[in-house]
Structures are given as structure tokens and as C-alpha cells.
Amino acid sequence: FFFLFRTAILDLMPAKILLSAACIGALALGVDAGFTGIGGAAPKRGAKPVKKAAKKPVARKPVAKKAPVKKAVVRSAGGFSPASDIGVTPPLGLFDPLNLLARGPEVYRRSQELEIKHGRLAMAATLGVIVTEAGIRLPGYLSISEDIKFADQPGTLDGAYFGTPLAGWVQIVAFIAALDVAVFRQDPSNDPGDVVQDLPFDWVRYDDPETKAFKLNAERNNGRAAMMGIIGMMIHESLTGNPVWPLPYEA
């Protein structure tokens, strides 16, 4: 038995030696691979690490800022300028809530003509209400066929509207249309509101530019006030029955 045991140990000794040698070799190979990679050369001792060249910052060219675009002043054929045009008066100055200037000088010119025309009609209407409320009437008949005298017409707005026969309103509208289209027509070559043309009227003209500008601005502002005034009279009459409230009204 001892003989067989010794023989087995002796037989296993070469295998142990070979296994130990294989393990030592694998360990050495693994350590070497950890430094240089498998099959790589070991780094040289004392070699200085190579420094990478630092990248120089790229100089950016300064971008030139664009100058703000200035909007050109809109000028019409009549020499319109927001700073000096007729109707541009303090305290509002150039008041354009509907931005009509952006629609071009032709639209602005048409708006000027309409403002002047409506202002003149509003001044006549406001004065007419004040005069008739004061008791002043034209002599004669308003309608002979219906036996209506001017003295019979009430001074209120609804009384004048409903008290005038339909034929009378047709005559009034036709007369105003004839004045607007033929007699006092607007010539595009003239200033807005200059509708006298060559009529044989002794129309007042002002040679002094400052006096003329003052008179035209006064007409424009009075027309604006009259437009507000006649609207206020309509509201007063609808609320109180008297267009010139709080004055007492007598039928």
C-alpha cells in the first residue's frame, strides 16, 4: 500500500510542477499586459510625458450693428408734414389713432377734405339748433300744400326731422349734393377745403402766412368742436327732451 501511494505521488509531481509553472507564467503575462497591453512594449523609464499644444482661441470679428432705419416723413402733393400741417395743434399735436398716415398721402388728403366738410356742416347744424331754440324762424311756409309754416316747426332735432315733409328732405339733400359736386367742388390742385374756385364771391384771402395758418387752424378746431357739440345735443335731447340742456325748454 505504501509502495502504491509513493508511486502515485511521484507520478503526480510532474503534473503539479507543470501546473505551477503555467500559473506563474500567466500571472507574469497578465502583469505585463496591464502596463503595456498584450504584446506591447513597456514604457521607457525617465521619459517625459508629451504635452499637447494648447489651442489658441479664435478671435471673433466684431459684428457691426445696423443703424436704425428712420421712417421717411410722409409728404403729399400739398407738402404735408406732421410737424407743420394745418390742423396739427396742441395739446394733442399729430393725433392719428386710425394710422391713416400709413395708408399713403392720397388717403390722408381725402381724410382732410372729409374732416373739413363735416366740420363745416356740424358748425351750421349746431348754430341752427341754437337759433331755432332761441325762437328765431324763417318767414313764410315750409310746405304750402300741407300748410306748414316755418314758425310751426319745433326747435328740437326730432321735431325738425319728423316735422319736415319727405318732399322737403328730398329738396334739401339734392341741394346739398349739387353744392358739393358742382358749385363747391374740391380741386385736387388746391389746398384741402379751398372750394371757392372761380366763383364771383368776395371771398376773404390772407396774404400773411401766419394769419392764414391761424385762421385755418381755428376753422379746423371749431369744426371738430361742432361735431362733438351736435352729437352731444342729440344725446341730450334723447335723454332730457332738450338739445341745449340744462336750459329750460318751452314748447
Side-chain angles (χ1 to χ4, degrees), residues 49-81:
V50 180
K51 296 182 179 180
K52 294 182 179 180
K55 294 183 180 180
K56 295 181 179 180
V58 180
R60 295 181 179 181
K61 296 181 180 180
V63 180
K65 295 182 179 181
K66 295 182 179 181
V69 180
K70 295 182 178 180
K71 295 183 179 180
V73 178
V74 181
R75 296 180 181 275
S76 63
F80 164 70
S81 175

PDB file of all heavy atoms in Angstrom, residues 49-81:
ATOM      1  N   PRO A  49       6.495  63.030 -20.209  1.00  0.00           N
ATOM      2  CA  PRO A  49       5.197  62.954 -20.935  1.00  0.00           C
ATOM      3  C   PRO A  49       5.081  64.059 -21.970  1.00  0.00           C
ATOM      4  O   PRO A  49       5.513  65.189 -21.744  1.00  0.00           O
ATOM      5  CB  PRO A  49       4.160  63.126 -19.818  1.00  0.00           C
ATOM      6  CG  PRO A  49       4.889  63.840 -18.737  1.00  0.00           C
ATOM      7  CD  PRO A  49       6.328  63.367 -18.792  1.00  0.00           C
ATOM      8  N   VAL A  50       4.511  63.706 -23.087  1.00  0.00           N
ATOM      9  CA  VAL A  50       4.369  64.659 -24.180  1.00  0.00           C
ATOM     10  C   VAL A  50       3.171  65.566 -23.899  1.00  0.00           C
ATOM     11  O   VAL A  50       2.066  65.091 -23.654  1.00  0.00           O
ATOM     12  CB  VAL A  50       4.152  63.930 -25.525  1.00  0.00           C
ATOM     13  CG1 VAL A  50       3.993  64.947 -26.663  1.00  0.00           C
ATOM     14  CG2 VAL A  50       5.320  63.001 -25.784  1.00  0.00           C
ATOM     15  N   LYS A  51       3.403  66.861 -23.878  1.00  0.00           N
ATOM     16  CA  LYS A  51       2.333  67.843 -23.645  1.00  0.00           C
ATOM     17  C   LYS A  51       1.674  68.217 -24.961  1.00  0.00           C
ATOM     18  O   LYS A  51       2.346  68.486 -25.949  1.00  0.00           O
ATOM     19  CB  LYS A  51       2.888  69.100 -22.974  1.00  0.00           C
ATOM     20  CG  LYS A  51       3.443  68.842 -21.592  1.00  0.00           C
ATOM     21  CD  LYS A  51       3.921  70.150 -20.974  1.00  0.00           C
ATOM     22  CE  LYS A  51       4.453  69.913 -19.566  1.00  0.00           C
ATOM     23  NZ  LYS A  51       4.934  71.188 -18.953  1.00  0.00           N
ATOM     24  N   LYS A  52       0.346  68.213 -24.938  1.00  0.00           N
ATOM     25  CA  LYS A  52      -0.399  68.616 -26.131  1.00  0.00           C
ATOM     26  C   LYS A  52      -0.381  70.128 -26.252  1.00  0.00           C
ATOM     27  O   LYS A  52      -0.500  70.840 -25.259  1.00  0.00           O
ATOM     28  CB  LYS A  52      -1.844  68.125 -26.045  1.00  0.00           C
ATOM     29  CG  LYS A  52      -1.960  66.608 -26.084  1.00  0.00           C
ATOM     30  CD  LYS A  52      -3.427  66.189 -26.056  1.00  0.00           C
ATOM     31  CE  LYS A  52      -3.552  64.681 -26.112  1.00  0.00           C
ATOM     32  NZ  LYS A  52      -4.977  64.247 -26.097  1.00  0.00           N
ATOM     33  N   ALA A  53      -0.255  70.600 -27.474  1.00  0.00           N
ATOM     34  CA  ALA A  53      -0.224  72.045 -27.708  1.00  0.00           C
ATOM     35  C   ALA A  53      -1.601  72.648 -27.431  1.00  0.00           C
ATOM     36  O   ALA A  53      -2.622  72.131 -27.879  1.00  0.00           O
ATOM     37  CB  ALA A  53       0.184  72.332 -29.156  1.00  0.00           C
ATOM     38  N   ALA A  54      -1.605  73.697 -26.645  1.00  0.00           N
ATOM     39  CA  ALA A  54      -2.876  74.362 -26.311  1.00  0.00           C
ATOM     40  C   ALA A  54      -3.440  75.079 -27.530  1.00  0.00           C
ATOM     41  O   ALA A  54      -2.708  75.732 -28.276  1.00  0.00           O
ATOM     42  CB  ALA A  54      -2.662  75.359 -25.177  1.00  0.00           C
ATOM     43  N   LYS A  55      -4.762  74.936 -27.717  1.00  0.00           N
ATOM     44  CA  LYS A  55      -5.408  75.598 -28.858  1.00  0.00           C
ATOM     45  C   LYS A  55      -5.575  77.082 -28.586  1.00  0.00           C
ATOM     46  O   LYS A  55      -6.036  77.477 -27.520  1.00  0.00           O
ATOM     47  CB  LYS A  55      -6.782  74.974 -29.115  1.00  0.00           C
ATOM     48  CG  LYS A  55      -6.704  73.526 -29.573  1.00  0.00           C
ATOM     49  CD  LYS A  55      -8.103  72.999 -29.869  1.00  0.00           C
ATOM     50  CE  LYS A  55      -8.026  71.556 -30.337  1.00  0.00           C
ATOM     51  NZ  LYS A  55      -9.375  71.013 -30.640  1.00  0.00           N
ATOM     52  N   LYS A  56      -5.155  77.858 -29.538  1.00  0.00           N
ATOM     53  CA  LYS A  56      -5.315  79.307 -29.407  1.00  0.00           C
ATOM     54  C   LYS A  56      -6.777  79.688 -29.660  1.00  0.00           C
ATOM     55  O   LYS A  56      -7.399  79.184 -30.582  1.00  0.00           O
ATOM     56  CB  LYS A  56      -4.423  80.037 -30.405  1.00  0.00           C
ATOM     57  CG  LYS A  56      -2.947  79.826 -30.147  1.00  0.00           C
ATOM     58  CD  LYS A  56      -2.109  80.604 -31.148  1.00  0.00           C
ATOM     59  CE  LYS A  56      -0.621  80.410 -30.881  1.00  0.00           C
ATOM     60  NZ  LYS A  56       0.194  81.172 -31.851  1.00  0.00           N
ATOM     61  N   PRO A  57      -7.306  80.550 -28.810  1.00  0.00           N
ATOM     62  CA  PRO A  57      -8.710  80.968 -29.027  1.00  0.00           C
ATOM     63  C   PRO A  57      -8.850  81.725 -30.343  1.00  0.00           C
ATOM     64  O   PRO A  57      -8.033  82.588 -30.675  1.00  0.00           O
ATOM     65  CB  PRO A  57      -9.003  81.873 -27.824  1.00  0.00           C
ATOM     66  CG  PRO A  57      -7.658  82.337 -27.375  1.00  0.00           C
ATOM     67  CD  PRO A  57      -6.700  81.218 -27.655  1.00  0.00           C
ATOM     68  N   VAL A  58      -9.891  81.364 -31.067  1.00  0.00           N
ATOM     69  CA  VAL A  58     -10.124  82.008 -32.363  1.00  0.00           C
ATOM     70  C   VAL A  58     -10.704  83.402 -32.124  1.00  0.00           C
ATOM     71  O   VAL A  58     -11.715  83.565 -31.440  1.00  0.00           O
ATOM     72  CB  VAL A  58     -11.103  81.171 -33.215  1.00  0.00           C
ATOM     73  CG1 VAL A  58     -11.349  81.850 -34.557  1.00  0.00           C
ATOM     74  CG2 VAL A  58     -10.536  79.769 -33.412  1.00  0.00           C
ATOM     75  N   ALA A  59     -10.052  84.383 -32.669  1.00  0.00           N
ATOM     76  CA  ALA A  59     -10.515  85.765 -32.495  1.00  0.00           C
ATOM     77  C   ALA A  59     -11.757  86.008 -33.333  1.00  0.00           C
ATOM     78  O   ALA A  59     -11.762  85.775 -34.544  1.00  0.00           O
ATOM     79  CB  ALA A  59      -9.413  86.742 -32.905  1.00  0.00           C
ATOM     80  N   ARG A  60     -12.833  86.440 -32.665  1.00  0.00           N
ATOM     81  CA  ARG A  60     -14.077  86.719 -33.372  1.00  0.00           C
ATOM     82  C   ARG A  60     -14.099  88.157 -33.867  1.00  0.00           C
ATOM     83  O   ARG A  60     -13.753  89.077 -33.132  1.00  0.00           O
ATOM     84  CB  ARG A  60     -15.273  86.487 -32.455  1.00  0.00           C
ATOM     85  CG  ARG A  60     -15.426  85.033 -32.031  1.00  0.00           C
ATOM     86  CD  ARG A  60     -16.648  84.871 -31.156  1.00  0.00           C
ATOM     87  NE  ARG A  60     -16.820  83.475 -30.765  1.00  0.00           N
ATOM     88  CZ  ARG A  60     -17.819  83.047 -30.007  1.00  0.00           C
ATOM     89  NH1 ARG A  60     -18.743  83.919 -29.564  1.00  0.00           N
ATOM     90  NH2 ARG A  60     -17.915  81.773 -29.680  1.00  0.00           N
ATOM     91  N   LYS A  61     -14.500  88.292 -35.094  1.00  0.00           N
ATOM     92  CA  LYS A  61     -14.581  89.628 -35.663  1.00  0.00           C
ATOM     93  C   LYS A  61     -15.804  90.347 -35.108  1.00  0.00           C
ATOM     94  O   LYS A  61     -16.884  89.778 -35.035  1.00  0.00           O
ATOM     95  CB  LYS A  61     -14.691  89.550 -37.190  1.00  0.00           C
ATOM     96  CG  LYS A  61     -13.461  88.949 -37.842  1.00  0.00           C
ATOM     97  CD  LYS A  61     -13.619  88.933 -39.359  1.00  0.00           C
ATOM     98  CE  LYS A  61     -12.389  88.332 -40.026  1.00  0.00           C
ATOM     99  NZ  LYS A  61     -12.534  88.316 -41.497  1.00  0.00           N
ATOM    100  N   PRO A  62     -15.621  91.571 -34.685  1.00  0.00           N
ATOM    101  CA  PRO A  62     -16.786  92.313 -34.149  1.00  0.00           C
ATOM    102  C   PRO A  62     -17.833  92.542 -35.234  1.00  0.00           C
ATOM    103  O   PRO A  62     -17.530  92.977 -36.336  1.00  0.00           O
ATOM    104  CB  PRO A  62     -16.176  93.638 -33.679  1.00  0.00           C
ATOM    105  CG  PRO A  62     -14.910  93.768 -34.466  1.00  0.00           C
ATOM    106  CD  PRO A  62     -14.398  92.366 -34.680  1.00  0.00           C
ATOM    107  N   VAL A  63     -19.090  92.218 -34.881  1.00  0.00           N
ATOM    108  CA  VAL A  63     -20.199  92.390 -35.826  1.00  0.00           C
ATOM    109  C   VAL A  63     -20.716  93.821 -35.729  1.00  0.00           C
ATOM    110  O   VAL A  63     -21.080  94.290 -34.647  1.00  0.00           O
ATOM    111  CB  VAL A  63     -21.340  91.400 -35.521  1.00  0.00           C
ATOM    112  CG1 VAL A  63     -22.489  91.585 -36.507  1.00  0.00           C
ATOM    113  CG2 VAL A  63     -20.806  89.968 -35.574  1.00  0.00           C
ATOM    114  N   ALA A  64     -20.703  94.488 -36.838  1.00  0.00           N
ATOM    115  CA  ALA A  64     -21.164  95.876 -36.855  1.00  0.00           C
ATOM    116  C   ALA A  64     -22.674  95.928 -36.685  1.00  0.00           C
ATOM    117  O   ALA A  64     -23.412  95.206 -37.351  1.00  0.00           O
ATOM    118  CB  ALA A  64     -20.755  96.555 -38.161  1.00  0.00           C
ATOM    119  N   LYS A  65     -23.149  96.746 -35.749  1.00  0.00           N
ATOM    120  CA  LYS A  65     -24.580  96.891 -35.518  1.00  0.00           C
ATOM    121  C   LYS A  65     -25.198  97.754 -36.612  1.00  0.00           C
ATOM    122  O   LYS A  65     -24.628  98.760 -37.012  1.00  0.00           O
ATOM    123  CB  LYS A  65     -24.843  97.527 -34.156  1.00  0.00           C
ATOM    124  CG  LYS A  65     -24.403  96.652 -32.995  1.00  0.00           C
ATOM    125  CD  LYS A  65     -24.749  97.318 -31.672  1.00  0.00           C
ATOM    126  CE  LYS A  65     -24.340  96.436 -30.506  1.00  0.00           C
ATOM    127  NZ  LYS A  65     -24.689  97.076 -29.209  1.00  0.00           N
ATOM    128  N   LYS A  66     -26.356  97.315 -37.053  1.00  0.00           N
ATOM    129  CA  LYS A  66     -27.054  98.062 -38.091  1.00  0.00           C
ATOM    130  C   LYS A  66     -27.705  99.300 -37.492  1.00  0.00           C
ATOM    131  O   LYS A  66     -28.281  99.256 -36.417  1.00  0.00           O
ATOM    132  CB  LYS A  66     -28.124  97.196 -38.763  1.00  0.00           C
ATOM    133  CG  LYS A  66     -27.550  96.008 -39.520  1.00  0.00           C
ATOM    134  CD  LYS A  66     -28.654  95.217 -40.193  1.00  0.00           C
ATOM    135  CE  LYS A  66     -28.080  94.044 -40.969  1.00  0.00           C
ATOM    136  NZ  LYS A  66     -29.161  93.271 -41.651  1.00  0.00           N
ATOM    137  N   ALA A  67     -27.556 100.378 -38.191  1.00  0.00           N
ATOM    138  CA  ALA A  67     -28.180 101.615 -37.734  1.00  0.00           C
ATOM    139  C   ALA A  67     -29.690 101.514 -37.866  1.00  0.00           C
ATOM    140  O   ALA A  67     -30.205 100.881 -38.792  1.00  0.00           O
ATOM    141  CB  ALA A  67     -27.671 102.798 -38.565  1.00  0.00           C
ATOM    142  N   PRO A  68     -30.434 102.066 -36.911  1.00  0.00           N
ATOM    143  CA  PRO A  68     -31.902 102.000 -37.004  1.00  0.00           C
ATOM    144  C   PRO A  68     -32.409 102.705 -38.241  1.00  0.00           C
ATOM    145  O   PRO A  68     -31.941 103.794 -38.603  1.00  0.00           O
ATOM    146  CB  PRO A  68     -32.368 102.712 -35.725  1.00  0.00           C
ATOM    147  CG  PRO A  68     -31.193 103.548 -35.316  1.00  0.00           C
ATOM    148  CD  PRO A  68     -29.972 102.815 -35.751  1.00  0.00           C
ATOM    149  N   VAL A  69     -33.370 102.055 -38.881  1.00  0.00           N
ATOM    150  CA  VAL A  69     -33.932 102.619 -40.111  1.00  0.00           C
ATOM    151  C   VAL A  69     -34.920 103.711 -39.748  1.00  0.00           C
ATOM    152  O   VAL A  69     -35.867 103.495 -39.001  1.00  0.00           O
ATOM    153  CB  VAL A  69     -34.628 101.524 -40.953  1.00  0.00           C
ATOM    154  CG1 VAL A  69     -35.211 102.123 -42.225  1.00  0.00           C
ATOM    155  CG2 VAL A  69     -33.634 100.424 -41.282  1.00  0.00           C
ATOM    156  N   LYS A  70     -34.690 104.872 -40.246  1.00  0.00           N
ATOM    157  CA  LYS A  70     -35.585 106.004 -39.990  1.00  0.00           C
ATOM    158  C   LYS A  70     -36.682 106.020 -41.038  1.00  0.00           C
ATOM    159  O   LYS A  70     -36.412 105.936 -42.234  1.00  0.00           O
ATOM    160  CB  LYS A  70     -34.815 107.330 -40.027  1.00  0.00           C
ATOM    161  CG  LYS A  70     -33.780 107.444 -38.922  1.00  0.00           C
ATOM    162  CD  LYS A  70     -33.088 108.796 -38.971  1.00  0.00           C
ATOM    163  CE  LYS A  70     -32.077 108.942 -37.842  1.00  0.00           C
ATOM    164  NZ  LYS A  70     -31.392 110.263 -37.893  1.00  0.00           N
ATOM    165  N   LYS A  71     -37.907 106.092 -40.561  1.00  0.00           N
ATOM    166  CA  LYS A  71     -39.035 106.163 -41.477  1.00  0.00           C
ATOM    167  C   LYS A  71     -39.108 107.533 -42.126  1.00  0.00           C
ATOM    168  O   LYS A  71     -38.987 108.549 -41.450  1.00  0.00           O
ATOM    169  CB  LYS A  71     -40.345 105.876 -40.733  1.00  0.00           C
ATOM    170  CG  LYS A  71     -40.434 104.458 -40.197  1.00  0.00           C
ATOM    171  CD  LYS A  71     -41.771 104.228 -39.543  1.00  0.00           C
ATOM    172  CE  LYS A  71     -41.870 102.786 -39.019  1.00  0.00           C
ATOM    173  NZ  LYS A  71     -43.191 102.551 -38.384  1.00  0.00           N
ATOM    174  N   ALA A  72     -39.293 107.513 -43.399  1.00  0.00           N
ATOM    175  CA  ALA A  72     -39.396 108.777 -44.111  1.00  0.00           C
ATOM    176  C   ALA A  72     -40.712 109.460 -43.788  1.00  0.00           C
ATOM    177  O   ALA A  72     -41.738 108.809 -43.621  1.00  0.00           O
ATOM    178  CB  ALA A  72     -39.285 108.545 -45.625  1.00  0.00           C
ATOM    179  N   VAL A  73     -40.654 110.746 -43.674  1.00  0.00           N
ATOM    180  CA  VAL A  73     -41.857 111.519 -43.386  1.00  0.00           C
ATOM    181  C   VAL A  73     -42.761 111.502 -44.606  1.00  0.00           C
ATOM    182  O   VAL A  73     -42.330 111.773 -45.721  1.00  0.00           O
ATOM    183  CB  VAL A  73     -41.498 112.972 -43.018  1.00  0.00           C
ATOM    184  CG1 VAL A  73     -42.752 113.786 -42.762  1.00  0.00           C
ATOM    185  CG2 VAL A  73     -40.597 112.987 -41.803  1.00  0.00           C
ATOM    186  N   VAL A  74     -43.997 111.143 -44.392  1.00  0.00           N
ATOM    187  CA  VAL A  74     -44.952 111.073 -45.496  1.00  0.00           C
ATOM    188  C   VAL A  74     -45.315 112.484 -45.921  1.00  0.00           C
ATOM    189  O   VAL A  74     -45.737 113.306 -45.116  1.00  0.00           O
ATOM    190  CB  VAL A  74     -46.220 110.308 -45.080  1.00  0.00           C
ATOM    191  CG1 VAL A  74     -47.197 110.225 -46.230  1.00  0.00           C
ATOM    192  CG2 VAL A  74     -45.844 108.912 -44.601  1.00  0.00           C
ATOM    193  N   ARG A  75     -45.143 112.754 -47.185  1.00  0.00           N
ATOM    194  CA  ARG A  75     -45.461 114.067 -47.733  1.00  0.00           C
ATOM    195  C   ARG A  75     -46.372 113.889 -48.932  1.00  0.00           C
ATOM    196  O   ARG A  75     -46.122 113.059 -49.796  1.00  0.00           O
ATOM    197  CB  ARG A  75     -44.199 114.823 -48.154  1.00  0.00           C
ATOM    198  CG  ARG A  75     -43.279 115.155 -46.986  1.00  0.00           C
ATOM    199  CD  ARG A  75     -42.047 115.908 -47.466  1.00  0.00           C
ATOM    200  NE  ARG A  75     -41.144 116.212 -46.377  1.00  0.00           N
ATOM    201  CZ  ARG A  75     -41.240 117.273 -45.587  1.00  0.00           C
ATOM    202  NH1 ARG A  75     -42.217 118.128 -45.795  1.00  0.00           N
ATOM    203  NH2 ARG A  75     -40.396 117.474 -44.606  1.00  0.00           N
ATOM    204  N   SER A  76     -47.416 114.678 -48.952  1.00  0.00           N
ATOM    205  CA  SER A  76     -48.356 114.622 -50.059  1.00  0.00           C
ATOM    206  C   SER A  76     -48.026 115.713 -51.055  1.00  0.00           C
ATOM    207  O   SER A  76     -47.064 116.463 -50.901  1.00  0.00           O
ATOM    208  CB  SER A  76     -49.790 114.799 -49.538  1.00  0.00           C
ATOM    209  OG  SER A  76     -49.923 116.068 -48.946  1.00  0.00           O
ATOM    210  N   ALA A  77     -48.843 115.790 -52.099  1.00  0.00           N
ATOM    211  CA  ALA A  77     -48.597 116.803 -53.115  1.00  0.00           C
ATOM    212  C   ALA A  77     -48.722 118.204 -52.550  1.00  0.00           C
ATOM    213  O   ALA A  77     -48.127 119.145 -53.049  1.00  0.00           O
ATOM    214  CB  ALA A  77     -49.580 116.606 -54.278  1.00  0.00           C
ATOM    215  N   GLY A  78     -49.502 118.368 -51.494  1.00  0.00           N
ATOM    216  CA  GLY A  78     -49.667 119.684 -50.897  1.00  0.00           C
ATOM    217  C   GLY A  78     -48.594 120.036 -49.895  1.00  0.00           C
ATOM    218  O   GLY A  78     -48.692 121.044 -49.212  1.00  0.00           O
ATOM    219  N   GLY A  79     -47.535 119.199 -49.763  1.00  0.00           N
ATOM    220  CA  GLY A  79     -46.459 119.493 -48.848  1.00  0.00           C
ATOM    221  C   GLY A  79     -46.764 119.108 -47.418  1.00  0.00           C
ATOM    222  O   GLY A  79     -46.386 119.803 -46.487  1.00  0.00           O
ATOM    223  N   PHE A  80     -47.445 117.989 -47.207  1.00  0.00           N
ATOM    224  CA  PHE A  80     -47.841 117.576 -45.871  1.00  0.00           C
ATOM    225  C   PHE A  80     -46.615 117.256 -45.032  1.00  0.00           C
ATOM    226  O   PHE A  80     -45.706 116.561 -45.470  1.00  0.00           O
ATOM    227  CB  PHE A  80     -48.750 116.362 -45.941  1.00  0.00           C
ATOM    228  CG  PHE A  80     -48.890 115.665 -44.631  1.00  0.00           C
ATOM    229  CD1 PHE A  80     -49.577 116.249 -43.592  1.00  0.00           C
ATOM    230  CD2 PHE A  80     -48.292 114.435 -44.426  1.00  0.00           C
ATOM    231  CE1 PHE A  80     -49.699 115.613 -42.367  1.00  0.00           C
ATOM    232  CE2 PHE A  80     -48.410 113.795 -43.213  1.00  0.00           C
ATOM    233  CZ  PHE A  80     -49.115 114.392 -42.191  1.00  0.00           C
ATOM    234  N   SER A  81     -46.601 117.780 -43.837  1.00  0.00           N
ATOM    235  CA  SER A  81     -45.561 117.465 -42.873  1.00  0.00           C
ATOM    236  C   SER A  81     -46.220 117.380 -41.506  1.00  0.00           C
ATOM    237  O   SER A  81     -46.931 118.304 -41.103  1.00  0.00           O
ATOM    238  CB  SER A  81     -44.471 118.536 -42.870  1.00  0.00           C
ATOM    239  OG  SER A  81     -43.528 118.275 -41.849  1.00  0.00           O
TER     240      SER A  81
END
